[in-house]
Amino acid sequence: MAERLIQASRQRRAKAMTAAAGLAGQAAVPLLLCALLAPSGAYVLDDSEGLGREFDGIGAVSGGGATSRLLVNYPEPYRSEILDYLFKPNFGASLHILKVEIGGDGQTTDGTEPSHMHYALDENYFRGYEWWLMKEAKKRNPNITLIGLPWSFPGWLGKGFNWPYVNLQLTAYYIVTWIVGCKHYHDLDIDYIGIWNERAFDVNYIKVLRRMLNHQGLQHVKIIASDNLWEPISASMLLDPELLKVIDVIGAHYPGTLTVKDARLTKKKLWSSEDFSTVNSDMGAGCWGRILNQNYVNGYMTSTIAWNLVASYYQQLPYGHCGLMTAQEPWSGHYVVEAPVWVSAHTTQFTQPGWYYLKTVGHLERGGSYVALTDGLGNLTVIVETMSHKHSQCIRPLLPYFNVSHQFATFDLKGSFSQIPELQVWYTKLGKPSERFLFKQLDSLWLLDSGGSFTLELQEDELFTLTTLTSGRKGSFPPPPKPQRFPSVYEDNFNIDYPFFSEAPNFADQTGVFEYYVNMEDPGDHRFTLRQVLNQRPITWAADAFNTISVIGDYTWSNLTIKCDVYIETPEKGGVFIAGRVNKGGILIRSARGIFFWIFANGTYRVTGDLAGWIIYSLGHADVTAKKWYTLTLTLNGRFSSGKLNGKTLWKNISVNFPENGWAAIGTHSFEFAQFDNFRVEASH
């Protein structure tokens, strides 16, 4: 292997020799081949006494929830470009792992994701967009690892309780059908399956799930538990030999780069199975760069998975901009390749699952850390980070203070690496725009004349990758379109015969599930509609509202007219609404304020200032019944609002002072079937 490397290096000798002459300094980064200045520390990279743990990859989460909601509606070529930046090998983030939510119909942070089984006898493996996303990821990287994890569950599994472990066999069956459906309908092999995101685990359920997987010939599907804290799962495994046997990976969330003794004693793979969750600014990039190294250095974690993959949901929902990149404008095509994409590339483009960490990894003397990995075939990748405390704080947990300062670090290659002739160099500097570089290739280092050692001058907030691999690339496309506001006039008649996705573009379900529907009973104007399809409350992960709601539009909208045809399916008790200036969503949806115009099957109407219906502005009689179409119109202008039923004023000049702006919305009273058609909004900011 060394001979091949030497031969390849000599073909590039001219380039390498210029590096030896110090021209790397042109990038404002002095790379010293010899320790001409007194170094702060010397570090040995050696495999003579064996290797460390096997590396399992770097990845990201789509879901938990509805974080990729707007991505699916992007026009081409921009949608494919975004996917390339995320998944294409040697191009951008080049992720090794994609973890998706197994939709369970409940609110799971930024929206609901539909279940493949809304009801006990219902199965549909084309709802939502996670199947599509997994296929797109596999198309770009056939070797990508796929993980499924439930956050919420459809209500029927609970048999009246808000709990997924009432019938262990039934819940295991539900999860296994999802895995089998992935394969049968989409030719997707799920590699790992989780238990219940950040909630209680049931020891017997985990065992039942393993048996059912094996019974279905899914022995290759491994189990991660418990996607919460290191304890009590680690102690439970040590006390229960059968549990220890059936769990393959202990996955902890936001571990702060640390693990616990019990987890290490299990001898299982340890993963940070959800991390990051930080705004994708340079601070977020610094957080990501620090934990990608230190999760292994401090905590022996061999995989780190970011929440979330791409910030593709309305920005004013919780955790706006907390994706590796941002794509929240399908109506314009605008997206932003944020710094965390290129921080990911420092590791992902120069390693693969199946590589091994060296035992010689650690902290730098004056702050920062280094890891080194090898494929066992002579290749070596070294990643050095010097992220400062000030510029690398993640959203959680609290980061204890540490200091990083200017230093020289000399690395000595020993063992099988001592004959490596040349290392490629990739560099990132976060911070001031004038000094900022993202994933820049520098001149390579020529090592034959330096006895296998090299010295780096390191400043704060830098990231270096030094590698034998020559395949790294900073991919790019022409700039995407400029950002634009959501169209001020927007309409959708839902007239689609065979929709590619189950949900209408730009509607973001916050409680309940709204899907395209073919109304067989109405061959006329309302054959194709949008229908709220849940008839019972799901087993919740967050605080779902008691009424269903889907929001749409521009959060800055204030003066607007919303018009929509509505159809109540439930006699007597049923009700529907249209709304404007809706000010909250995601996990905060229960407390959403706005102006809500309701009609009910019992022949009444209401105007409320909140989704819960506690703040009542007006109520009265309306000529309304179930099983009949009506047109509702809501007009908001300054401090006044008015409503029409079938074009006739039902109420007017109701004063509303709060909120001043927000989304448009549609929804139902409680979890009841209802349909919507010919939605139109006309707004002025």
Side-chain angles (χ1 to χ4, degrees), residues 236-291:
S236 301
M237 291 167 69
L238 292 174
L239 294 168
D240 185 333
E242 188 188 348
L243 184 67
L244 182 69
K245 187 180 175 186
V246 300
I247 293 173
D248 300 279
V249 174
I250 304 179
H253 287 194
Y254 307 95
T257 76
L258 303 174
T259 184
V260 298
K261 185 181 177 184
D262 279 354
R264 295 194 297 274
L265 285 174
T266 65
K267 302 285 202 305
K268 295 289 182 175
K269 288 178 177 291
L270 308 178
W271 289 7
S272 177
S273 53
E274 185 180 314
D275 219 324
F276 181 62
S277 196
T278 303
V279 172
N280 52 27
S281 60
D282 275 16
M283 172 80 84
C287 151
W288 188 230
R290 178 175 56 79
I291 65 178

Side-chain angles (χ1 to χ4, degrees), residues 149-150 153 163-165 168 194-207 209 223-240 243-244 246-247 250-251:
L149 174 67
F153 295 83
W163 191 243
Y165 306 128
L168 304 184
I195 306 305
W196 188 13
N197 182 71
E198 294 174 357
R199 297 293 180 264
F201 62 88
D202 181 295
V203 167
N204 290 321
Y205 167 73
I206 297 172
K207 295 172 183 177
L209 178 62
I223 291 178
I224 305 180
S226 67
D227 280 295
N228 201 346
L229 304 176
W230 293 116
E231 298 290 14
I233 189 66
S234 301
S236 301
M237 291 167 69
L238 292 174
L239 294 168
D240 185 333
L243 184 67
L244 182 69
V246 300
I247 293 173
I250 304 179

Side-chain angles (χ1 to χ4, degrees), residues 201-227:
F201 62 88
D202 181 295
V203 167
N204 290 321
Y205 167 73
I206 297 172
K207 295 172 183 177
V208 166
L209 178 62
R210 179 72 271 166
R211 286 198 292 273
M212 197 173 288
L213 287 167
N214 293 349
H215 185 68
Q216 291 293 325
L218 297 169
Q219 289 86 351
H220 68 278
V221 179
K222 296 176 179 174
I223 291 178
I224 305 180
S226 67
D227 280 295

Side-chain angles (χ1 to χ4, degrees), residues 105 115-125 127 153-159 167 170-171 173-175 177 533-536 673:
D105 294 335
S115 170
H116 62 290
M117 296 178 75
H118 292 317
Y119 332 107
L121 299 176
D122 162 61
E123 287 185 52
N124 183 322
Y125 297 92
R127 292 187 184 124
F153 295 83
W156 59 272
L157 284 171
K159 299 191 178 296
N167 183 326
L170 196 60
T171 299
Y173 168 78
Y174 167 79
I175 294 298
T177 58
V533 296
L534 300 192
N535 61 356
Q536 70 181 113
F673 298 134

Side-chain angles (χ1 to χ4, degrees), residues 23 39 42 71 88 103 179 203 220 277 321 334 361 363 412 597 656:
L23 289 186
L71 174 63
K88 189 175 177 181
I179 297 170
V203 167
H220 68 278
S277 196
H321 277 290
H334 179 72
V361 302
H363 289 275
D412 287 314
F597 176 18
V656 286

Side-chain angles (χ1 to χ4, degrees), residues 297 438 526 537:
V297 171
L438 291 175
H526 300 292
R537 188 175 178 79

